[in-house]
Amino acid sequence: MERMSQALSWVLLVLRDQGPVIRRFSGGGTVIVDKDTVFVTFICNKDAIPGLQPYPRPIMSWNSQIYEHVFDKACNFQLRENDYVFGNHKFGGNAQSITKRRWIHHTSFLWDYKIENMAYLKLPTRAPEYRLARSHTEFICRLKDYLARSEFIDKTISALGSHFSMEHVELEPSQQSLAADFVPSSREITMQEMEEALAELTSEEPAAYSLSK
Amino acid sequence: MASRLLWASRAAASRLRISPLLHPRLFSSSEIPKELKYADSHEWAKAEGKSAIIGITDHAQDHLGDVVYVELPEVGAAVTQGGSFGAVESVKATSDINSPVSGKVVEINEELNSSPGLVNSSPYDKGWIIKVEISDEGELNNLMGPNDYSEFCDKEDGAH
């Protein structure tokens, strides 16, 4: 088998499978977006949490304290570097976007996953230290193995409710008022852009390669 | 399916334990460059005639963590005082960079494309971000001097 860079093999995989790729506005690594992932997002004004500095570590630390009330102690839940783990197995990744007046913190919880989808997640350039040399399947775990989905949702709401007064809001997209000049920062990467990336990568790696189907 | 959101009102944060500052400041108050002006969003400006060089402060880079990417504006782009012109991406967060002055971008630090870590290692020198042709030099008076900025940082850190 010919050697290929991770980036090149990833681009080839995406082009082969024609999977949509979205470049999101927040930081963090690549995640799979499907029914097996649960996303929890906090959108806060800068001064919404008294005593909280609007920087990555304080926000992440504050957020982890919410989830300490969600998981049983036996699960050994903790924030480890930038990940939510049970012991040393990752089940949640975090990402943030911080502006002058507000911030967003979202967690992608790995409710479940398909082994074949892990191929889309190339090894990050900066892997967390606690990962050691473990493969993806050795490094991550499924949240569904620890509690039921409804229990996770209810306990998260309850944990928030012990610190905030809350109100359920049902939103219909057509009723949302958006600024006329709002331009989303997140966007879908087109197949043409992927092919351009492929051309750039292969010009840097002249070794022959094949596009599997 | 209709979306459902939970809106949280202002927190009773006294019941939440807020983590202390994890990373000590690398620059003491005496090491904050004297010749620069500072914004309350932690950017600095170095006036050079009708232009200003802009970057983020050591306080900012220390709190943001290792910078992995800097989103730079296009040369020729207009900037406004206090307005966002780009972003700094650290490992898990993107953070807006706001211009301390209004004007037009005349130069960007393209070195940051290959070496974004310069923002961490040399925030006041090699980690500069953009150079702006200032449209209103009076705006520099809206910025803080080094002593005021040092006090501002101490107050901000002490309040959390």
Tab-separated table of all heavy atoms in Angstrom, chain B residues 16 26 36 38 47 52 79-80 85 91 99 101 103 115 127 131 140-142 148 158-159:
chain	number	residue	atom	x	y	z
B	16	LEU	N	-22.036	28.452	42.389
B	16	LEU	CA	-21.138	27.751	41.501
B	16	LEU	C	-19.705	28.031	41.893
B	16	LEU	O	-19.342	29.152	42.175
B	16	LEU	CB	-21.336	28.217	40.056
B	16	LEU	CG	-22.504	27.627	39.274
B	16	LEU	CD1	-22.574	28.280	37.919
B	16	LEU	CD2	-22.375	26.136	39.150
B	26	LEU	N	2.477	36.079	32.410
B	26	LEU	CA	3.896	35.982	32.134
B	26	LEU	C	4.582	37.337	32.206
B	26	LEU	O	5.777	37.427	32.423
B	26	LEU	CB	4.116	35.369	30.745
B	26	LEU	CG	3.554	33.948	30.575
B	26	LEU	CD1	3.789	33.456	29.162
B	26	LEU	CD2	4.196	33.002	31.575
B	36	LEU	N	2.892	51.515	24.052
B	36	LEU	CA	1.677	51.059	23.393
B	36	LEU	C	0.428	51.612	24.077
B	36	LEU	O	0.466	52.060	25.219
B	36	LEU	CB	1.622	49.526	23.391
B	36	LEU	CG	2.846	48.792	22.814
B	36	LEU	CD1	2.603	47.279	22.848
B	36	LEU	CD2	3.144	49.267	21.407
B	38	TYR	N	-3.781	50.565	24.833
B	38	TYR	CA	-4.467	49.300	25.054
B	38	TYR	C	-5.988	49.461	25.063
B	38	TYR	O	-6.527	50.437	25.591
B	38	TYR	CB	-4.022	48.705	26.389
B	38	TYR	CG	-2.532	48.432	26.424
B	38	TYR	CD1	-1.632	49.410	26.846
B	38	TYR	CD2	-2.027	47.201	26.002
B	38	TYR	CE1	-0.269	49.179	26.848
B	38	TYR	CE2	-0.661	46.954	26.006
B	38	TYR	CZ	0.209	47.947	26.422
B	38	TYR	OH	1.561	47.711	26.420
B	47	ALA	N	1.222	53.367	17.695
B	47	ALA	CA	1.074	54.434	16.708
B	47	ALA	C	2.397	54.697	16.020
B	47	ALA	O	3.443	54.829	16.669
B	47	ALA	CB	0.562	55.696	17.391
B	52	ALA	N	-1.006	52.512	12.599
B	52	ALA	CA	-0.882	51.832	13.887
B	52	ALA	C	-0.718	50.343	13.630
B	52	ALA	O	-1.407	49.763	12.781
B	52	ALA	CB	-2.105	52.086	14.759
B	79	VAL	N	-11.680	48.833	9.072
B	79	VAL	CA	-11.881	48.420	10.460
B	79	VAL	C	-12.434	49.603	11.234
B	79	VAL	O	-12.178	50.756	10.888
B	79	VAL	CB	-10.570	47.905	11.120
B	79	VAL	CG1	-10.083	46.646	10.434
B	79	VAL	CG2	-9.484	48.975	11.097
B	80	THR	N	-13.185	49.317	12.274
B	80	THR	CA	-13.724	50.364	13.137
B	80	THR	C	-13.298	50.109	14.568
B	80	THR	O	-13.100	48.949	14.965
B	80	THR	CB	-15.262	50.430	13.089
B	80	THR	OG1	-15.773	49.140	13.440
B	80	THR	CG2	-15.757	50.803	11.720
B	85	PHE	N	-12.246	42.325	13.491
B	85	PHE	CA	-11.630	42.279	12.159
B	85	PHE	C	-11.048	40.917	11.839
B	85	PHE	O	-10.587	40.671	10.724
B	85	PHE	CB	-10.530	43.345	12.005
B	85	PHE	CG	-9.305	43.109	12.863
B	85	PHE	CD1	-8.311	42.228	12.467
B	85	PHE	CD2	-9.143	43.782	14.068
B	85	PHE	CE1	-7.172	42.016	13.255
B	85	PHE	CE2	-8.013	43.576	14.865
B	85	PHE	CZ	-7.026	42.694	14.448
B	91	VAL	N	-6.779	25.985	20.717
B	91	VAL	CA	-7.057	24.566	20.492
B	91	VAL	C	-8.557	24.279	20.386
B	91	VAL	O	-8.991	23.510	19.539
B	91	VAL	CB	-6.408	23.727	21.604
B	91	VAL	CG1	-6.777	22.257	21.466
B	91	VAL	CG2	-4.896	23.883	21.555
B	99	SER	N	-10.461	45.756	16.632
B	99	SER	CA	-9.484	46.804	16.315
B	99	SER	C	-9.558	47.941	17.331
B	99	SER	O	-10.647	48.435	17.633
B	99	SER	CB	-9.750	47.357	14.917
B	99	SER	OG	-8.782	48.337	14.601
B	101	VAL	N	-8.512	50.850	16.753
B	101	VAL	CA	-8.664	52.099	16.011
B	101	VAL	C	-9.472	51.847	14.736
B	101	VAL	O	-9.602	50.705	14.290
B	101	VAL	CB	-7.299	52.704	15.625
B	101	VAL	CG1	-6.522	53.128	16.868
B	101	VAL	CG2	-6.482	51.724	14.793
B	103	GLY	N	-9.962	52.586	10.609
B	103	GLY	CA	-9.121	52.906	9.461
B	103	GLY	C	-9.177	51.827	8.415
B	103	GLY	O	-10.188	51.133	8.262
B	115	SER	N	3.221	30.436	11.210
B	115	SER	CA	3.677	30.397	12.611
B	115	SER	C	2.693	31.134	13.519
B	115	SER	O	3.014	32.183	14.083
B	115	SER	CB	5.071	31.030	12.738
B	115	SER	OG	6.008	30.385	11.901
B	127	GLY	N	4.561	38.815	16.920
B	127	GLY	CA	3.177	38.346	16.838
B	127	GLY	C	2.184	39.434	16.473
B	127	GLY	O	0.981	39.247	16.655
B	131	LYS	N	-1.560	46.071	10.328
B	131	LYS	CA	-1.161	47.472	10.360
B	131	LYS	C	-2.302	48.252	9.717
B	131	LYS	O	-2.812	47.854	8.654
B	131	LYS	CB	0.135	47.688	9.595
B	131	LYS	CG	0.698	49.101	9.702
B	131	LYS	CD	2.076	49.174	9.050
B	131	LYS	CE	2.685	50.557	9.196
B	131	LYS	NZ	4.048	50.609	8.590
B	140	LEU	N	-7.086	57.362	19.443
B	140	LEU	CA	-6.044	56.821	20.323
B	140	LEU	C	-6.236	57.306	21.756
B	140	LEU	O	-5.818	56.639	22.711
B	140	LEU	CB	-4.663	57.245	19.794
B	140	LEU	CG	-4.227	56.590	18.472
B	140	LEU	CD1	-2.989	57.289	17.913
B	140	LEU	CD2	-3.932	55.110	18.693
B	141	ASN	N	-6.884	58.451	21.904
B	141	ASN	CA	-7.128	58.974	23.248
B	141	ASN	C	-8.173	58.158	24.012
B	141	ASN	O	-8.314	58.304	25.227
B	141	ASN	CB	-7.580	60.436	23.177
B	141	ASN	CG	-6.506	61.318	22.559
B	141	ASN	OD1	-5.309	61.090	22.770
B	141	ASN	ND2	-6.924	62.306	21.784
B	142	ASN	N	-8.915	57.346	23.276
B	142	ASN	CA	-9.912	56.502	23.929
B	142	ASN	C	-9.291	55.253	24.538
B	142	ASN	O	-9.961	54.491	25.234
B	142	ASN	CB	-10.984	56.064	22.917
B	142	ASN	CG	-11.723	57.240	22.307
B	142	ASN	OD1	-11.802	58.296	22.929
B	142	ASN	ND2	-12.237	57.061	21.106
B	148	ASP	N	-2.800	52.197	33.282
B	148	ASP	CA	-4.244	51.961	33.358
B	148	ASP	C	-4.593	50.551	32.895
B	148	ASP	O	-5.467	49.891	33.469
B	148	ASP	CB	-5.002	52.990	32.515
B	148	ASP	CG	-5.006	54.369	33.144
B	148	ASP	OD1	-4.755	54.463	34.368
B	148	ASP	OD2	-5.259	55.350	32.426
B	158	GLY	N	-8.834	39.915	39.425
B	158	GLY	CA	-9.187	39.866	40.834
B	158	GLY	C	-10.671	39.719	41.068
B	158	GLY	O	-11.106	39.196	42.095
B	159	ALA	N	-11.435	40.136	40.077
B	159	ALA	CA	-12.886	40.072	40.204
B	159	ALA	C	-13.417	38.685	39.929
B	159	ALA	O	-14.592	38.409	40.102
B	159	ALA	CB	-13.534	41.073	39.258
